[in-house]
Amino acid sequence: MKIAVLPGDGIGTEIVAEAIRVLNVLDLNFEMETALVGGAAYEAHGHPLPEATLKLAKEADAVLFGAVGDWKYDKLERQFRPEQAILGLRKNLGLFANFRPAICYEQLVGASSLKPELVAGLDILIVRELTGDIYFGQPRGRRTAVDGHFPGAEEAFDTMRYSRPEIERIAHVAFQAARKRDKRVTSVDKANVLETFQFWKDVVTEVGKEYPDVALDHMYVDNAAMQLVKAPKKFDVIVTGNMFGDILSDAAAMLTGSIGMLPSASLNASNQGLYEPSHGSAPDIAGKGIANPLATILSAAMMLRFSLNQTEAADRIESAVKQVLASGLRTSDIWSAGTTKVSTIEMGDAVVAAITKTTTKG
Ligand SMILES: NC(=O)c1ccc[n+]([C@@H]2O[C@H](COP(=O)([O-])OP(=O)(O)OC[C@H]3O[C@@H](n4cnc5c(N)ncnc54)[C@H](O)[C@@H]3O)[C@@H](O)[C@H]2O)c1
Ligand SMILES: CC(C)[C@H](C(=O)O)[C@@H](O)C(=O)O
Ligand SMILES: [Mg+2]
């Protein structure tokens, strides 16, 4: 078994280093190979997703990804911007199903920006379609407007689109996930305005008929954003398109205490997966040694569970994380009075130590 390790930029390198230490202590005998991606790859090879990196990712059984991006690349031609690396990996590997579980650990109830009673016990799953929608629709570009409010003016445009099979397959993923949980799916759309999302709603409804044991309801995305901060525990599984899923998952991150707590798994049809925290390269804190590595460590646990058939090892990582939080250690993003502030590396040390302790106990 081979894991492609792509740390990327900013805090990507800091948090992936901790996840690697956690994987190493489990002694699972995987081969790991590291490659450059994002801005780091652009600097070295002139492209954010070099051929060799893509090849490594395709050949691996799973990819562990950090984050890409930095403000200094924002003026580059789009094809050279770091973000194209993660988009290219998703597209090239066919990683259409993105799982973003938002779980509020008991110890972090007070770290959320919401009232404790709204998030205590929270366990929701966002299933985000990841290879379609306005992110990948063609045509897109710049042109001179021929109509609209300002004919003759410079304008930019993107194309929102979804095909029936694309919606069907992500809907199946969501219903099947719901069967293992509380058997409720909320499909989030904007069918009241966008034809793409009326179609989305129609197709999800059709697929839902194959899952009579799962309750399906539909919600407009603006209301969903509100409900997520009003009564998040009412959700079980949320299924939605690429762009709405991006936005709603960052909002859901704060329900867990911090975006530094939200892992993710992106799977293709053959269960090959890319695992990454839901957050970005955080240039504002990069290099300071204060980033929370837990979203990446928990993404590594998802990798063991979903792609590498190592359920027990995944359980051990997750219970080590809970133990560390119970012992009061916190990176600054989840720190509150009465807890102990630790660095990225100290948090990694603590998870490694908690795993080692359970190993010794046998
Ligand atoms: N998958 C990815 O690689 C990915 C995802 C999102 C954003 N990005 C890129 O990252 C760059 C920064 O984007 P942004 O600032 O909008 O989003 P971001 O997620 O990087 O950061 C948003 C805020 O959350 C904080 N934060 C994020 N992760 C944290 C962690 N692990 N511990 C503590 N605090 C954390 C940051 O310090 C920042 O204040 C951009 O170039 C963007 O395109 C990449
Ligand atoms: C960096 C960017 C392309 C990416 C996205 O929009 O999908 C990020 O925000 C994410 O959530 O993984
Ligand atoms: Mg995002």
Side-chain angles (χ1 to χ4, degrees), residues 25-55:
V25 81
L26 288 163
D27 205 15
L28 294 169
N29 216 8
F30 292 134
E31 192 191 334
M32 293 196 223
E33 191 174 333
T34 303
L36 293 176
V37 74
Y42 175 76
E43 302 284 354
H45 305 293
H47 198 280
L49 183 56
E51 271 306 318
T53 302
L54 180 59
K55 185 166 175 282

Side-chain angles (χ1 to χ4, degrees), residues 32-33 97 167 209 259:
M32 293 196 223
E33 191 174 333
I167 305 169
K209 296 200 174 105
I259 193 152

Side-chain angles (χ1 to χ4, degrees), residues 11 65 67-71 83 86 90 259-260 276 278-285 291-292 333:
I11 63 167
F65 187 92
V68 288
D70 192 282
W71 317 131
E83 291 82 353
I86 185 64
R90 291 170 183 171
I259 193 152
E276 58 169 333
S278 299
H279 60 72
S281 54
D284 55 338
I285 58 165
N292 186 345
D333 56 315

Side-chain angles (χ1 to χ4, degrees), residues 132-345:
D133 204 351
I134 197 163
Y135 270 52
F136 293 97
Q138 294 291 344
R140 67 199 311 173
R142 307 269 177 120
R143 64 188 171 197
T144 301
V146 291
D147 50 17
H149 295 297
F150 295 100
E154 189 189 2
E155 71 173 12
F157 62 104
D158 295 276
T159 300
M160 180 176 271
R161 57 164 295 286
Y162 265 121
S163 65
R164 176 178 283 278
E166 282 175 298
I167 305 169
E168 283 174 349
R169 66 182 179 175
I170 195 70
H172 281 293
V173 166
F175 285 112
Q176 280 160 22
R179 272 192 171 156
K180 298 185 191 140
R181 301 171 45 97
D182 201 34
K183 300 189 172 52
R184 291 181 293 118
V185 169
T186 302
S187 172
V188 171
D189 62 57
K190 189 71 188 175
N192 50 348
V193 179
L194 301 170
E195 199 48 34
T196 310
F197 275 93
Q198 180 61 56
F199 186 50
W200 171 282
K201 185 174 182 175
D202 295 345
V203 175
V204 172
T205 304
E206 281 172 38
V207 173
K209 296 200 174 105
E210 295 177 41
Y211 299 86
D213 52 323
V214 179
L216 169 66
D217 70 342
H218 304 271
M219 199 178 277
Y220 297 137
V221 62
D222 43 355
N223 185 23
M226 182 177 76
Q227 297 302 332
L228 264 179
V229 290
K230 183 180 174 214
K233 285 192 271 186
K234 287 199 178 150
F235 292 105
D236 179 25
V237 174
I238 292 176
V239 64
T240 191
N242 205 344
M243 184 159 68
F244 298 157
D246 178 44
I247 299 164
L248 294 181
S249 58
D250 264 32
M254 276 321 294
L255 311 174
T256 71
S258 163
I259 193 152
M261 293 302 300
L262 205 77
S264 88
S266 308
L267 300 180
N268 66 18
S270 29
N271 254 19
Q272 187 196 18
L274 179 147
Y275 299 83
E276 58 169 333
S278 299
H279 60 72
S281 54
D284 55 338
I285 58 165
K288 296 187 178 162
I290 58 169
N292 186 345
L294 293 181
T296 314
I297 290 171
L298 291 167
S299 300
M302 291 180 89
M303 173 176 80
L304 294 174
R305 193 183 303 286
F306 289 172
S307 286
L308 303 175
N309 207 14
Q310 293 282 349
T311 312
E312 201 195 319
D315 288 346
R316 285 174 62 198
I317 294 181
E318 285 160 3
S319 74
V321 167
K322 285 181 198 154
Q323 278 175 48
V324 168
L325 292 174
S327 73
L329 302 188
R330 304 280 188 273
T331 41
S332 30
D333 56 315
I334 48 175
W335 182 84
S336 57
T339 61
T340 311
K341 201 179 278 185
V342 294
S343 68
T344 308
I345 293 177

